[in-house]
């Protein structure tokens, strides 16, 4: 409990708790003394102060102590397990301590002895974690999964993936958004193994665990960081054939057949009222990725464009993007042009190159998809050929 007190960060309060705290302050008679006490306590609770204490505690050998304390031979009580899980989650806040948690058996303890009997198991449907100890364990694993390569950190990647997906369903905790964000980052790392390799869990994550609908919900999040992390995860998942098919299936169902006049291709939408037929492109999953490729956040745009570059290898997707969607082609062109103005910094130049590469892949796939109408649409788009020539001469 002493270690727990030393390593705990300030509690994140809900809005209701903040209001109650403010009312309590107003009711105190000795306001100056109360303010002084509050300032002194706040100084000790600052994240940097807690982080320094956590490092000192780890240097003193606390991780080995915690792992030993929850071994079955020690017959640990539930209160001891609860405290150790909470401490592990607090220690994992510091990126430099995450490797130490792996090296000294913290991950084995989190997965082996700290999870409650109520934690999700193989064959169970996904649901939010009910026990606080399981939430702390999953949160700690998410933080570790962000910094440490999954194949080094986790012996059972599938169990970790199941816990992290359950963390995406969290909505009762004050830190729910942070939990979702960090779980998505860790899942993106888990889904980054080479496609088809022994470590590739994309299909298990998205299909076997039925995690794709949960991830899609996060893509629609109003919080830009959660939306960005979810889009990056989708970009990794589209390499799985079944996830790929979710986007490609029926994507070209609204495209006119070849024998019809190609002049009926949907053009830029203006302020005129659109017919239901004109709006049919919005019902496709690909439309969401196109929309995300046009948001203000550059990493989100990059991830969405990366996913579209992979999906454009399918002729159905190319027909949708260039014959049915009213803005996809102009958005791709803007990705090339806008990033040229990102600045002369290394990060800005790297981003510009990345966007050009993604768009070049999309255009190359479209030109070779086997449908002459797509090639014609590319040729008609003002600036495409010129941009390709500039990219072809780029050293």
């Amino acid at each position: 409990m002493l270690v727990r007190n030393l390593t705990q960060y300030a509690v994140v309060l809900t809005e209701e708790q903040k209001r109650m705290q403010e009312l309590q302050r107003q009711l105190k008679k000795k306001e100056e003394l109360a303010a002084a006490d509050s300032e002194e306590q706040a100084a000790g609770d600052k994240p940097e102060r807690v982080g320094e204490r956590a490092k000192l505690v780890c240097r003193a050998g606390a991780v080995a102590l915690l792992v030993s304390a929850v071994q079955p031979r020690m017959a640990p009580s539930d209160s001891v397990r609860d405290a150790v899980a909470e401490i592990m989650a607090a220690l994992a806040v510091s990126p430099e301590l995450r490797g130490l948690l792996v090296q000294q058996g913290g991950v084995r303890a989190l997965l082996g002895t700290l999870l409650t009997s109520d934690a999700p198991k193989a064959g169970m449907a996904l649901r939010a974690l009910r026990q606080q100890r399981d939430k702390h364990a999953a949160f700690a694993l998410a933080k570790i999964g962000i910094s440490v390569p999954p194949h080094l950190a986790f012996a059972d990647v599938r169990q970790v993936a199941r816990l992290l997906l359950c963390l995406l369903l969290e909505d009762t905790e004050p830190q729910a958004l942070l939990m979702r964000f960090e779980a998505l980052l860790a899942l993106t790392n888990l889904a980054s193994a080479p496609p088809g390799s022994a470590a590739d869990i994309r299909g298990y994550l998205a299909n076997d665990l039925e995690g794709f609908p949960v991830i899609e919900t996060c893509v629609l999040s109003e919080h830009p960081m959660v939306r960005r992390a979810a889009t990056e995860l989708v970009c990794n998942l589209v390499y799985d054939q079944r996830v790929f098919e979710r986007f490609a299936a029926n994507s070209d169902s609204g495209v006119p057949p070849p024998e019809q006049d190609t002049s009926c291709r949907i053009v830029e939408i203006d302020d005129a009222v659109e017919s239901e037929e004109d709006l049919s492109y919005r019902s496709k999953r690909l439309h969401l990725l196109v929309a995300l490729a046009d948001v203000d956040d550059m990493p989100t745009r990059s991830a969405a464009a990366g996913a579209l570059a992979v999906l454009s290898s399918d002729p159905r997707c190319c027909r949708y993007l260039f014959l049915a969607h009213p803005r996809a082609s102009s958005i791709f062109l803007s990705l090339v042009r806008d990033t040229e103005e990102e600045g002369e910094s290394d990060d800005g130049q790297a981003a510009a190159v990345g966007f050009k590469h993604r768009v070049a892949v999309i255009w190359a796939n479209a030109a070779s998809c086997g449908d002459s109408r797509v090639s014609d649409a590319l040729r008609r788009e003002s600036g495409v050929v010129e941009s390709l020539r500039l990219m072809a001469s780029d050293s």
Side-chain angles (χ1 to χ4, degrees), residues 188-336:
T188 301
N189 279 347
L190 291 182
S192 62
S197 67
D200 181 10
I201 65 160
R202 292 176 178 83
Y204 176 77
L205 176 64
N207 307 310
D208 298 351
L209 291 179
E210 298 182 351
F212 192 77
V214 180
I215 296 164
E216 267 193 319
T217 301
C218 294
V219 172
L220 298 171
S221 171
E222 294 181 359
H223 196 284
M225 298 298 286
V226 173
R227 185 169 61 238
R228 174 201 294 182
T231 307
E232 291 173 343
L233 177 53
V234 169
C235 183
N236 278 3
L237 291 178
V238 292
Y239 286 94
D240 175 77
Q241 188 57 45
R242 284 183 287 177
V243 175
F244 188 107
E245 193 61 23
R246 287 175 187 263
F247 287 92
N250 302 318
S251 59
D252 61 348
S253 58
V255 176
E259 62 271 12
Q260 289 189 14
D261 184 1
T262 57
S263 63
C264 65
R265 175 176 175 265
I266 297 175
V267 295
E268 286 290 336
I269 297 176
D270 53 20
D271 294 331
V273 177
E274 299 167 287
S275 68
E276 290 185 9
E277 186 178 353
D278 292 335
L279 293 171
S280 64
Y281 72 91
R282 293 185 178 179
S283 65
K284 314 300 181 186
R285 275 194 167 97
L286 280 172
H287 171 58
L288 177 59
L289 290 178
V290 175
L292 291 168
D294 195 35
V295 298
D296 292 333
D297 184 62
M298 184 184 293
T300 303
R301 293 207 311 270
S302 178
L308 288 167
V310 176
L311 292 163
S312 65
S313 62
D314 190 298
R316 293 171 294 177
C317 296
C318 287
R319 285 193 289 270
Y320 170 80
L321 294 171
F322 292 94
L323 301 179
H325 198 284
R327 295 191 61 238
S329 192
S330 61
I331 287 172
F332 298 149
L333 196 56
S334 71
L335 288 176
V336 175

Side-chain angles (χ1 to χ4, degrees), residues 21-89:
Q21 194 177 68
E22 184 61 31
L23 286 172
Q24 289 171 354
R25 284 195 189 124
Q26 292 173 2
L27 291 172
K28 285 185 178 179
K29 295 180 181 179
K30 299 179 180 180
E31 293 183 358
E32 293 183 1
L33 181 60
D37 290 343
S38 178
E39 287 178 10
E40 184 179 353
Q41 182 180 1
D45 284 340
K46 286 183 178 178
E48 56 270 22
R49 292 281 296 275
V50 181
E52 288 301 318
R53 291 202 299 270
K55 292 173 190 174
L56 290 170
V57 164
C58 286
R59 285 179 203 157
V63 176
L65 167 71
L66 298 171
V67 172
S68 176
V70 293
Q71 295 302 310
R73 59 185 175 81
M74 301 298 290
S77 65
D78 283 340
S79 60
V80 169
R81 289 193 179 98
D82 291 344
V84 171
E86 195 171 355
I87 295 167
M88 293 282 193

Side-chain angles (χ1 to χ4, degrees), residues 58-59 63 95-106 148:
C58 286
R59 285 179 203 157
V63 176
E96 55 267 46
L97 297 180
R98 294 168 186 172
L100 185 68
L101 286 171
V102 175
Q103 293 167 8
Q104 299 194 5
V148 184

Side-chain angles (χ1 to χ4, degrees), residues 92 98 101-102 107 110 139-149 153-154:
R98 294 168 186 172
L101 286 171
V102 175
V107 171
L110 287 166
F139 204 13
L141 291 167
K143 293 176 183 295
I144 292 168
I146 293 170
S147 300
V148 184
F154 309 123

